[in-house]
Amino acid sequence: AQALLTIGLSALGALRGAVSAPGAMSLGGQFAMSAASAAASNVGSSVGQAIGKPLDSSTTSRKSSGGSSEINWTNFNYPPLIRIIHYSLDQLPSALTGIVRLFNLSFILTVISCLLNFLDTLIIVGSSDASFKWIIQSGLHLLLLPAAALATFYCGYRGLCEPDMSLASRFKMAQPVLGSIYLIMAIVPFGCVHGLVELGSIGEHTRGQGSGFWTVAIFVESSLWLANAILALVNTIRAAKWDSINGGGAPLSSGRF
């Protein structure tokens, strides 16, 4: 995961240089790209301290904050096929399952949104005058954003379960930053990102003819990004409320949050 983020950040930096020429990207787009790079850098710095953490210590399992069962953090089983972290709702107390499920949902929405954007961009570039750079940019988003979302999810999941205040704090910093990026991507069009404002500029790339597919793609993608932005806000609030209820991460023996 750490290598994934490093590669993604390097590629994103190169892309930002390529699209920063005058007229290549709107001011809002440049801001969003800078925000995405900063967020991924911040989250990436904590990946090595979160994912696979037990490998650097003598403890490979630890009771969850509900005390119901031990969690073997080196039993890597998630995401499917890649399997670079441990994740299981079955090992959590009832008070945490709902919170962690929403943390994971934000990661899943990020993957779906990036994958859908990549497929939509392939079709749009192939059927209009849109720049080929959009495909490269979309591919980088597909690599970078899910990696940042996965690291954020894991910091929140493990930070609350162990509990580990340093990981929980990283989650509460990274999740709202990612949420802000999702909100920008839902509204502001730049390159391959089809924000709602792009509805007024489709004709510029289709010689004034418009595109039904492009219009639908904008509404669908914007809806997903907006939903994820709202979810990120909910996750941040619930994580903060959990800390306040449990005295900054102290175990909770019973009750549902």
Side-chain angles (χ1 to χ4, degrees):
Q2 199 167 16
L4 262 177
L5 282 176
T6 301
I7 295 172
L9 286 169
S10 299
L12 182 61
L15 178 65
R16 288 177 60 195
V19 299
S20 61
M25 182 180 288
S26 66
L27 179 61
Q30 292 182 32
F31 170 76
M33 288 287 283
S34 298
S37 179
S41 297
N42 178 65
V43 175
S45 65
S46 67
V47 173
Q49 301 177 53
I51 298 177
K53 179 181 175 183
L55 295 178
D56 298 325
S57 66
S58 59
T59 302
T60 58
S61 63
R62 185 168 180 173
K63 284 186 178 295
S64 65
S65 62
S68 60
S69 63
E70 291 190 347
I71 298 178
N72 183 357
W73 296 106
T74 58
N75 178 24
F76 304 127
N77 60 356
Y78 192 79
L81 302 179
I82 303 176
R83 298 183 180 183
I84 57 176
I85 68 170
H86 174 76
Y87 171 61
S88 175
L89 289 176
D90 295 336
Q91 297 174 307
L92 299 181
S94 60
L96 269 176
T97 53
I99 303 175
V100 172
R101 184 179 286 111
L102 290 183
F103 289 178
N104 184 45
L105 179 59
S106 181
F107 162 64
I108 293 174
L109 279 178
T110 303
V111 174
I112 292 174
S113 300
C114 289
L115 182 59
L116 180 62
N117 174 262
F118 184 72
L119 296 176
D120 287 343
T121 301
L122 285 176
I123 296 174
I124 289 172
V125 171
S127 60
S128 70
D129 296 332
S131 173
F132 181 79
K133 288 181 180 178
W134 289 15
I135 296 178
I136 300 175
Q137 185 183 22
S138 181
L140 292 174
H141 288 176
L142 183 58
L143 172 67
L144 180 64
L145 286 177
L150 177 63
T152 300
F153 153 63
Y154 191 68
C155 284
Y157 165 48
R158 186 164 179 179
L160 296 187
C161 289
E162 283 203 332
D164 186 315
M165 284 302 297
S166 64
L167 293 180
S169 296
R170 291 188 185 103
F171 172 82
K172 287 183 288 185
M173 289 188 294
Q175 183 73 111
V177 172
L178 284 176
S180 299
I181 294 173
Y182 300 152
L183 181 61
I184 292 172
M185 296 177 80
I187 301 173
V188 182
F190 58 97
C192 71
V193 178
H194 310 303
L196 281 173
V197 179
E198 192 174 62
L199 288 170
S201 60
I202 295 178
E204 298 177 8
H205 303 284
T206 58
R207 302 177 184 180
Q209 296 180 1
S211 171
F213 174 83
W214 199 335
T215 300
V216 172
I218 291 174
F219 278 115
V220 173
E221 291 185 27
S222 296
S223 297
L224 287 173
W225 289 124
L226 181 59
N228 208 354
I230 295 173
L231 182 58
L233 176 61
V234 171
N235 286 342
T236 303
I237 293 174
R238 296 195 72 177
K241 189 174 182 181
W242 173 269
D243 279 351
S244 66
I245 290 176
N246 295 286
L252 181 68
S253 59
S254 64
R256 180 176 294 275
F257 181 73

